[in-house]
Amino acid sequence: MSRFNRRVEHLPPSGIRRFFDLVIDAKDIISLGVGEPDFVTPWHVREKVFYSLEQGRTSYTSNWGILELRQETAAYLNNRFGARFDKDEILITVGVSEGVDLALRTILNEGDEVILFEPTYVCYRPLTELAGGVVVPVSTPSLKMTADAIQQALTPKTKAILLSYPSNPTGYTIDKAEIKKIAQIARSRDLWIISDEIYAELTYEGEHFSISAIPDVKDRVILLNGFSKAFAMTGWRLGYIAASRDFLQQAVKIHQYAALCAPIMAQYGALESLRYGLGEMQEMKKSYWRRRNYMHEALNAIGLSVNKPEGAFYVFPSIEATGKTAEQFAIELLQQEKVAVVPGDVFGRGGEGHVRMCYATDFNLLKEAVKRMDRYVRSLKK
Ligand code: PLP
């Protein structure tokens, strides 16, 4: 008998971690590796939480989260994205990470299939497998999710489609027309749609279109969002699920046993962000937008070709012209020029031949990183 759970034993460690363990001791590196805002949480949010602590707010909250935050979240989703949720359709979670886990564990039975577009964020596959599900990966040459790609992956065992847009690692989003077609597939095949829209606010081309805003699929959408990225609150560990009451009645059972509730301090911080933080969020977005434009132009100019990312704070250029694998490119760039990027293959199918760079980094450092990458790419041509 094994001492450990077999599924856990079979899980590979995160590819991003594995790569950064190699580089942890390197000094003076410019890191474009970690996907985290370079802003600290705005001052008024921190101050509000100091005050809530001063008032002695240190208890558990309801399993569902504090009522005002659920009300404010429902209003925010409606105002920003036309997604009509009631406060009873909101569950406050420990980051979107817990939301993904709850969504998968609540709907999957052994052997159920989840269609997942790759390359994608690293937690979906392991959490699906831990929940007993099977990932059916799909990819396209454009690295953009299409309804056709999903159509081809459908089987009688398909239980859910997992969407994540704008995407980590590509920064691409899903076009509105495709989203509508995907909704149609889900309806006709009676599927769940898990939609991680954590980068919704960081959309630079047009408006973000949430699949939960389509009324006749809303009941099958499990919308995940949170405060880590757009509100610069990664360390607070706060997110939410917006979904139908019958789904949440099941999901909250896992949440109440495994997490009990999200931290009360973080909930008050998030409430302040939603009430008074949207202006600062727009300022941070402008700053990412400028850096996105710069990286898009600069990388193409040095021969690392890439389409303009439409959202998030990542750029995912092709490194095929260099003749290196993604891992070779990342290791050599780090060793020779001290710039850290993430090899694209850690994000799954279709990621090989690319590297991910996070541009939520000081502008001057980005310029220096591009200069160094240029030097490295030129050195390969000699
Ligand atoms: N979803 C995506 C697409 C992400 O990129 C990340 C973090 O990088 C997360 C979820 C995790 O979010 P949270 O900090 O809310 O757990």
Side-chain angles (χ1 to χ4, degrees), residues 122-247:
V122 293
C123 82
Y124 307 128
R125 178 184 280 273
L127 292 180
T128 300
E129 289 170 0
L130 280 178
V134 176
V135 168
V136 178
V138 296
S139 49
T140 60
S142 65
L143 303 182
K144 282 186 71 146
M145 168 75 123
T146 62
D148 262 359
I150 293 176
Q151 191 80 47
Q152 285 168 26
L154 292 168
T155 78
K157 290 188 177 166
T158 309
K159 184 73 169 276
I161 302 168
L162 203 158
L163 306 179
S164 183
Y165 67 104
S167 154
N168 173 6
T170 64
Y172 300 145
T173 189
I174 309 175
D175 301 334
K176 188 170 176 178
E178 294 298 321
I179 293 172
K180 288 188 170 168
K181 284 191 219 160
I182 294 168
Q184 176 60 36
I185 295 173
R187 201 171 41 220
S188 67
R189 299 288 292 243
D190 191 19
L191 305 176
W192 288 100
I193 298 166
I194 302 172
S195 191
D196 178 349
E197 300 180 25
I198 193 170
Y199 296 103
E201 289 284 7
L202 303 179
T203 296
Y204 311 114
E205 303 293 321
E207 297 280 305
H208 177 80
F209 180 65
S210 176
I211 195 160
S212 62
I214 303 175
D216 52 6
V217 284
K218 200 196 108 185
D219 271 5
R220 54 183 73 251
V221 174
I222 302 165
L223 175 67
L224 309 176
N225 206 332
F227 296 86
S228 287
K229 312 289 178 169
F231 293 93
M233 295 179 72
T234 49
W236 297 69
R237 310 307 307 125
L238 210 76
Y240 51 89
I241 303 180
S244 60
R245 288 177 177 78
D246 65 339
F247 168 84

Side-chain angles (χ1 to χ4, degrees), residues 49 69 233 236-238 262-271:
V49 173
L69 179 58
M233 295 179 72
W236 297 69
R237 310 307 307 125
L238 210 76
I264 187 169
M265 296 78 108
Q267 293 194 52
Y268 278 107
L271 184 60

